[in-house]
Amino acid sequence: MPPTSPKASASPKTPKSSKASAPPRPSAEIRRVADLLKQVSDPTRLQVLMLLNEQERNVSELCAELGTQSQPAVSHHLALLRHGRLIEPRRSGKHNFYGLTEAGRELAEVVDSVIG
């Protein structure tokens, strides 16, 4: 059996990929929308968003509406939604009432149209 030459056993070289073939990076707007959707990817946060779309509520009211969620859990969800700039607090006496920002209202409208 004749010996194989190194050239015959070597795998063919593939050309290096150029930057032109790389997929385009998402625009800032697409990344912002993806971030907003991440904020409401949790069912409880989505439910909070939809409750606040109806009217402002404080943590106690949200706890009552959600039923099984503790006050610390609801406060945590509110903090995440606030951090995402979907809701904003309004102080009234001893309570913070939460309402939707413009971005929160727009997202709630989209969700409402999907839910039907």
Side-chain angles (χ1 to χ4, degrees), residues 4-81:
T4 59
S5 70
K7 288 184 179 181
S9 65
S11 62
K13 291 186 178 180
T14 56
K16 292 183 180 178
S17 61
S18 66
K19 289 188 178 186
S21 65
R25 296 193 69 194
S27 68
E29 185 176 63
I30 293 294
R31 286 192 304 272
R32 171 77 176 133
V33 170
D35 287 341
L36 290 176
L37 293 173
K38 283 180 193 176
Q39 293 296 318
V40 293
S41 63
D42 179 88
T44 300
R45 284 195 294 278
L46 183 57
Q47 192 173 3
V48 167
L49 184 85
M50 299 313 291
L51 287 170
L52 295 178
N53 191 41
E54 296 169 4
Q55 69 181 36
E56 283 187 335
R57 289 177 165 85
N58 63 32
V59 177
S60 299
E61 293 169 335
L62 287 168
C63 287
E65 292 275 346
L66 296 170
T68 61
Q69 296 288 317
S70 67
Q71 185 273 324
V74 172
S75 292
H76 176 72
H77 289 299
L78 289 169
L80 292 172
L81 291 170

